[in-house]
Amino acid sequence: MAALPSDFVWGFATASYQVEGAIDKDGRGPSVWDTFCKIPGKIADGSSGETACDSYNRTAEDIALLKSLGSQAYRFSLSWTRIIPKGGRNDPINQAGIDHYSKFCDDLLAAGITPFITLSHWDVPDELDKRYGGLLNRTEFPLDFENFARVCFKSFPQCKNWITFNEPWCSSILGYSVGQFAPGRTSNRDKSPVGDSTTEPWIVGHNLLVAHGRAVKVYRDEFKATNGGEIGIVLNGDATFPWDSSDPRDREAAERKLEFTIGWFGDAIYHGDYPASMRKQLGDRLPTFTPEEKALVHGSNDFYGMNHYTADYVRHKDGEPAPEDFAGHLETHPYNKNGDCIGPETQCKWLRPCAPAFRDLLKWLSKRYNYPKIYVTESGTSIKGENDMPLEKLLEDDLRYQYYDDYVKAMATASALDGVNVRAYFAWSLLDNFEWADGYETRFGVCYVDYKNNQKRYPKKSAKHLKPLFDSLIKKA
Ligand code: PNW
């Protein structure tokens, strides 16, 4: 069944801090993640991105690997502090960092692989955090990000596919409410001496939207005509089902969870303001867009970047929402009222495969935002116990193989039958890599990385499945 448009693009994705290593090479400055990893207890295995997959030193090897797997495109992120080590608009630019990424883009293109650049995948310059509170600063941060974006648009004209930020929900909630991600701020004083979970995540989300809007304006005003490409933001979001589908309160809660994760950013961009359910619960703790900010944010996506992994059953909560609540006053469960399970366990508590929910969410998004062009910029899974398996067993990653088979077919069905305008899909991830607070024990790669033996890469069964799978689904031109 050929169900995807003939110009559909697929490939693999990574992020700078998760794969590059070489943290001190060629003048790179520290990011908030370098600092966060040094705090004892923050990373499960006590590790950091210091060496990771050593991809900074192995660009030729990674490109050859991508090519061997048939990847048409590669989504990777830039390390801001390789390009501007201190990060700010009056700080020096590091030519070595620009040269590195420029050559990387050229080499990808020479191999027939289209680069998709994420400007910032969570590794905010540490200096900006120390200088003015980083993402918390409503005026300085957007201006510094705008400057960084301009440097990149100017330096990498061969790239036509631009993403401003990866998953602002994770930066805001995990970084400033839960404290599980850098910079680790939270009201929970067992975890951090600083932070206010009742206000900071909402401020950070707002500032990321404005920074995104500023970068998009620069791209459209100064580069789009010559570059001829596109720009957008990447949002994460799990699909939801009501725990008790006969209870309207659970049905509303399932919808509200989507609004608190996706609508928070998506509504601001496509509708010009935050969802009413968020305003209702958060009041003035949720910032209000000034007219200037609204003009920057509203309409600022050329495509919707969708990161999608899993689904939840959602149950309403009674009483008043807690001041630290960020989810919309609800609980998530792997089982519904009837005892049906959403999907099998993986190595991640938050992730259980449920492909039919992917189709549902593609439909929900399309309807809410008037059928935008969608690029699925990440999708993938970990496998329970994978890190402890012997190599032969681990390379037969049947659960991941099945995940991609089911998810990609669900997407193709949405494309063929639901009018969903989905045009690209990136598997997360090309390589096992530094899985943030989970360290290296949780693996998401379609290729195994042997960290004990010179980071040697081995394609797993899932890696080799994507090309034939997409070949069978993409219409011939
Ligand atoms: C995404 N959660 O993050 C990121 O974009 C990747 O860098 C990451 O490696 C990948 O998913 C796999 O985790 C998420 O806890 C991290 O809900 C955590 C969550 C969601 C997304």
Side-chain angles (χ1 to χ4, degrees), residues 14-15 18 75 121-122 166-167 169-170 174 180-181 234 236-238 307 309-310 348 350-351 378 380 428-429 433-436 438 442 444:
T14 61
Q18 295 183 270
R75 174 180 175 233
H121 193 125
W122 304 349
N166 182 69
E167 300 188 348
W169 183 93
C170 287
L174 302 179
Q180 175 195 340
F181 279 10
V234 159
N236 59 295
D238 304 340
N307 282 2
Y309 290 87
T310 189
C348 306
W350 56 271
L351 202 176
E378 284 180 29
W428 183 272
S429 177
N433 59 47
F434 177 68
E435 181 52 22
W436 309 109
D438 290 344
T442 299
F444 270 87

Side-chain angles (χ1 to χ4, degrees), residues 56-82:
Y56 185 79
N57 294 311
R58 299 180 195 218
T59 53
E61 186 181 338
D62 285 350
I63 292 171
L65 183 61
L66 285 163
K67 203 170 172 172
S68 74
L69 301 177
S71 193
Q72 299 173 338
Y74 183 46
R75 174 180 175 233
F76 62 99
S77 80
L78 306 176
S79 162
W80 183 340
T81 56
R82 290 194 193 278

Side-chain angles (χ1 to χ4, degrees), residues 307-310 346 348 350-353 376-383 399-400 403-404 407 425-429 443-446:
N307 282 2
H308 182 72
Y309 290 87
T310 189
T346 66
C348 306
W350 56 271
L351 202 176
R352 286 170 181 257
V376 179
T377 36
E378 284 180 29
S379 171
T381 189
S382 58
I383 296 177
L399 184 123
R400 187 175 289 107
Y403 181 99
Y404 285 120
Y407 270 69
Y425 182 95
F426 292 86
W428 183 272
S429 177
R443 295 175 179 269
F444 270 87
V446 297

Side-chain angles (χ1 to χ4, degrees), residues 89 132 134-135 137-147 206-208 210-212 214-215 293 296:
R89 58 198 183 281
Y132 56 65
L135 299 177
N137 194 306
R138 190 163 171 170
T139 40
E140 294 298 318
F141 182 78
L143 289 171
D144 282 342
F145 182 70
E146 173 192 303
N147 172 71
H206 189 84
N207 298 345
L208 283 164
V210 174
H212 154 82
R214 281 201 169 277
E293 288 175 337
L296 287 165

